[in-house]
Amino acid sequence: MVLANLTSRPAFLLLGLTDGTDVHPLLFLLFLGIYLVNALGNLSMVVLVRSDGALRSPMYYFLGHLSLVDIGFTTVTVPRLLAGLLHPGQAVSFWGCFAQMYFFVALGITESYLLAAMSYDRAVAVCRPLHYAAVMTPGRCSALVAASWAVAHLHSLLHTLLISELSYPCAARVRHFFCDMTVMLSVATSDTSAAQTAIFSEGLAVVLTPLLLVALSYARILVAVLGVRSAGGRRRAFSTCGAHLVAVSLFFGSILSVYFRPSSAYSARYDRLASVVYAVVTPTLNPFIYSLRNKEVKGALKRGLRWRAAPPRGVRAGMDSLASQE
């Protein structure tokens, strides 16, 4: 009986980025290019942080984890988006759909808490530079990252279980390019009021907490920067913080506009557009906004490229020795 219940679960039909059945090769090439840039940028950051001794500060520790999350965040959704652009109406199993939902929500919440940890790190560096090493210890940084992952997965597990227990019609048409919470609630045939109440209340607390931490951190940074007498120092600080705030605003703004609004205001077209912003665009911009504009990262990247172009001195000496023996 249990096996019969597992195998009788309904499948879903993902309609993709658009509702029609037309093939979109140009959109396919566009999103494929964005995905490759995302993978290249974030993988480069992960490799640099792991391999270069100059990038051992807490900021780069958080950046490495953020890049790792961004790779997974886009990989959960973009491949199916690409498949839907060439072959509209992709069928997905019940368990495949909710597995995708689980990892998407978990990675998205992890990213929001990592952004909060990074903003706290910057606030300590700007406002308490003499105490920075004592505050941002390796143990505290590891605890912040571990807490980000733990809270995100518990939150995702709760939401996925609540939504998966609802009833769905067979071969339900999902007007999205992945199994998102809002669209799954819209196609459910059973009463969703209890699930919506739990998701809205608990989810609002989980999402607003990192957003509040980010806002408080950047408010402290702003107050500290305004107290700097040097115009050049203020300009550099505003340039860096401004780029960070753009990325944070895009990420949190699009999430809040999708997940925390009345169900009567649901719009499939708007949800898909906003999802592209926080699930595809923002993770692609993060490595360039947070790191590739940084002199230390540029220096590490140049050192890595020089190492690949010319072998280390010891390796080169060994090669010369072998050549002389011949």
Side-chain angles (χ1 to χ4, degrees), residues 157-179:
L157 181 62
L158 171 64
H159 286 215
T160 304
L161 289 176
L162 285 173
I163 299 177
S164 65
E165 288 301 311
L166 300 174
S167 299
Y168 297 94
C170 291
R173 295 166 63 86
V174 177
R175 299 180 66 191
H176 215 305
F177 58 89
F178 69 98
C179 295

Side-chain angles (χ1 to χ4, degrees), residues 43-302:
L43 278 175
S44 299
M45 269 309 304
V46 173
V47 172
L48 286 176
V49 170
R50 298 279 182 175
S51 61
D52 197 287
L55 305 181
R56 288 288 183 263
S57 67
M59 178 178 69
Y60 298 113
Y61 176 73
F62 292 130
L63 275 173
H65 281 274
L66 181 68
S67 296
L68 193 62
V69 168
D70 281 337
I71 294 170
F73 195 41
T74 52
T75 302
V76 169
T77 57
V78 173
R80 194 167 287 280
L81 166 62
L82 295 173
L85 291 172
L86 294 183
H87 306 283
Q90 292 283 310
V92 58
S93 68
F94 180 90
W95 299 112
C97 180
F98 284 99
Q100 183 186 49
M101 179 191 297
Y102 173 83
F103 286 109
F104 179 80
V105 174
L107 292 169
I109 297 300
T110 303
E111 174 150 348
S112 66
Y113 277 88
L114 286 176
L115 290 173
M118 291 167 62
S119 65
Y120 173 71
D121 170 76
R122 291 299 84 203
V124 174
V126 172
C127 303
R128 302 180 62 189
L130 299 179
H131 300 89
Y132 180 76
V135 175
M136 300 304 295
T137 61
R140 182 164 296 175
C141 293
S142 299
L144 287 172
V145 171
S148 300
W149 284 96
V151 170
H153 280 275
L154 290 174
H155 166 85
S156 180
L157 181 62
L158 171 64
H159 286 215
T160 304
L161 289 176
L162 285 173
I163 299 177
S164 65
E165 288 301 311
L166 300 174
S167 299
Y168 297 94
C170 291
R173 295 166 63 86
V174 177
R175 299 180 66 191
H176 215 305
F177 58 89
F178 69 98
C179 295
D180 199 13
M181 290 191 299
T182 54
V183 70
M184 298 310 294
L185 287 171
S186 69
V187 300
T189 56
S190 55
D191 182 26
T192 63
S193 56
Q196 284 182 332
T197 301
I199 289 170
F200 187 85
S201 55
E202 188 271 345
L204 190 62
V206 169
V207 173
L208 284 185
T209 298
L211 179 59
L212 182 62
L213 292 174
V214 169
L216 290 175
S217 297
Y218 280 110
R220 290 196 62 185
I221 291 173
L222 179 62
V223 172
V225 169
L226 290 176
V228 176
R229 295 182 179 181
S230 169
R234 285 200 302 268
R235 188 164 52 250
R236 285 192 300 271
F238 279 127
S239 173
T240 302
C241 293
H244 294 185
L245 283 174
V246 168
V248 170
S249 300
L250 282 174
F251 182 77
F252 283 104
S254 55
I255 285 179
L256 290 174
S257 67
V258 170
Y259 295 107
F260 301 101
R261 68 172 191 268
S263 57
S264 58
Y266 170 75
S267 168
R269 178 177 297 179
Y270 176 81
D271 274 17
R272 283 181 280 201
L273 179 61
S275 297
V276 168
V277 173
Y278 69 80
V280 181
V281 176
T282 304
T284 303
L285 294 177
N286 279 341
F288 302 97
I289 290 177
Y290 283 99
S291 53
L292 297 182
R293 300 175 70 251
N294 186 292
K295 291 182 179 179
E296 293 178 347
V297 176
K298 288 181 179 178
L301 186 59
K302 289 178 181 178

